Amino acid sequence: MSHHPPFKQVEASRPDFDASKTLSFTKTPNSNWSIGSGASTRSDATLSKDSTFEINPAEIQGKDKGKLYKMLISAVTPRPIAFVASMDGEGRGNLAPFSYFNMVAHDPPTVMVSFTHPSPNELKGTCENILSTKEFTTNIISEHYLEAANYTSIDAPKGQSEWPLSGLTKVESTTIKVPRVGESKFSMECELLHHYHIMNDAQERTGTVVLGKVKYFHINKEIIDEESFLIDTKELRPVSRLGGITYGRTTEAYELPRPVWKDEKEKEEVKKVLEKSPEENKL
């Protein structure tokens, strides 16, 4: 039995969603940061062993392994979400969100999606479909269809398509049989490039990493500069995954140029920092 109040009751106490709020830029947390000065705020107490809670995952057993999952998804944030459409060998559709996801290369364009499985002898439906048909589409979730996308995370049995439950639109792909999500402003047609099964210490299969080569992109013209290919985050309005059932919005950002060694090495402040720690700077 849940110890929390019904979600709708909790949600009712919160302010309404502000659709007018869009991406804005601020200064960085410490715009006066100087070379070699470290964190903007730091207490020596935070660096002591007494202040550190340490975990050896090899010592976590049984049901407590679920705590590792909860810890990781609430610490490694924000995570992009892959809204994956796939088909089984009989042509039945599957649609589900996954936040073990990212891009891993651009030549060729390659994305990674990782799946955890119900048991060592059973693959998650989306993963099973991809390994079988070698095709899937990856769609970026934007705010305007978050609720529909979230509903597809339902634990429907294999063979039951989530498409009609979501109310989202199937759009025919160009190079593969699997459709893309029409409401997505950024969709990728993917072909299985490689997969790797993850085994735990007991040599039981607990997950599978899938690499997909992107064969074709579908991008809403509102979000892309057709000359530079840069995507406008204000128009994409991507949604990220945080811990538990929490999602994140992208409404505030700051920018920092990447330092270039050939320019930085001649600065006096750089030379002074390097002179103080010669043993760390031997080439």
Side-chain angles (χ1 to χ4, degrees):
M1 185 174 178
S2 174
H3 297 290
H4 304 286
F7 174 72
K8 283 297 180 181
Q9 179 181 326
V10 174
E11 186 182 44
S13 68
R14 296 171 177 170
D16 290 340
F17 181 86
D18 184 359
S20 67
K21 191 171 185 180
T22 186
L23 180 69
S24 62
F25 287 86
T26 71
K27 294 178 180 179
T28 62
N30 180 8
S31 57
N32 296 316
W33 185 87
S34 59
I35 296 166
S37 64
S40 300
T41 57
R42 180 178 63 194
S43 165
D44 289 339
T46 65
L47 304 179
S48 69
K49 188 173 177 63
D50 290 341
S51 70
T52 305
F53 180 72
E54 299 178 351
I55 298 172
N56 180 349
E59 297 175 353
I60 306 299
Q61 302 295 326
K63 292 182 179 180
D64 282 347
K65 288 189 180 234
K67 294 180 181 179
L68 292 177
Y69 168 75
K70 291 180 179 179
M71 177 185 71
L72 285 168
I73 66 168
S74 56
V76 184
T77 58
R79 297 187 308 282
I81 307 169
F83 197 28
V84 179
S86 63
M87 292 170 57
D88 65 16
E90 298 179 29
R92 294 177 296 188
N94 183 287
L95 186 61
F98 298 93
S99 67
Y100 285 176
F101 159 68
N102 220 312
M103 62 178 189
V104 295
H106 68 277
D107 186 17
T110 306
V111 296
M112 179 281 298
V113 186
S114 183
F115 306 93
T116 55
H117 300 311
S119 72
N121 300 315
E122 183 182 6
L123 295 172
K124 188 158 283 185
T126 299
C127 181
E128 187 174 278
N129 291 348
I130 292 173
L131 298 188
S132 173
T133 67
K134 311 292 192 291
E135 295 181 345
F136 60 104
T137 65
T138 305
N139 308 270
I140 299 301
I141 298 175
S142 296
E143 291 177 352
H144 68 282
Y145 73 96
L146 172 63
E147 290 86 358
N150 178 73
Y151 198 82
T152 67
S153 64
I154 190 171
D155 56 341
K158 288 182 181 179
Q160 170 61 62
S161 174
E162 295 84 1
W163 278 98
L165 298 173
S166 71
L168 295 172
T169 310
K170 285 184 183 180
V171 177
E172 187 176 346
S173 291
T174 301
T175 65
I176 62 176
K177 293 181 180 179
V178 179
R180 61 186 176 90
V181 176
E183 287 77 7
S184 177
K185 294 186 176 184
F186 192 96
S187 296
M188 296 170 278
E189 298 181 16
C190 303
E191 175 182 73
L192 179 63
L193 188 64
H194 182 68
H195 76 276
Y196 177 80
H197 292 306
I198 298 172
M199 315 296 281
N200 64 14
D201 291 341
Q203 291 305 298
E204 299 171 323
R205 182 180 61 192
T206 56
T208 301
V209 176
V210 163
L211 295 180
K213 176 182 176 180
V214 181
K215 299 181 67 178
Y216 212 84
F217 293 94
H218 298 273
I219 307 158
N220 188 296
K221 288 185 177 181
E222 294 177 351
I223 72 168
I224 189 169
D225 181 314
E226 296 182 30
E227 182 64 30
S228 67
F229 288 6
L230 287 176
I231 300 299
D232 186 344
T233 305
K234 294 193 300 293
E235 296 299 331
L236 179 59
R237 289 181 173 264
V239 176
S240 62
R241 202 70 167 88
L242 305 176
I245 62 172
T246 308
Y247 290 89
R249 300 182 70 187
T250 306
T251 58
E252 197 166 84
Y254 36 80
E255 297 177 320
L256 274 175
R258 180 179 296 184
V260 178
W261 177 251
K262 70 179 181 63
D263 299 327
E264 297 294 306
K265 68 178 181 178
E266 301 303 327
K267 292 182 177 180
E268 287 303 315
E269 55 265 46
V270 170
K271 291 179 181 179
K272 288 180 181 179
V273 169
L274 297 182
E275 286 172 0
K276 291 180 181 178
S277 52
E279 291 302 315
E280 294 185 20
N281 301 298
K282 289 183 179 179
L283 299 178

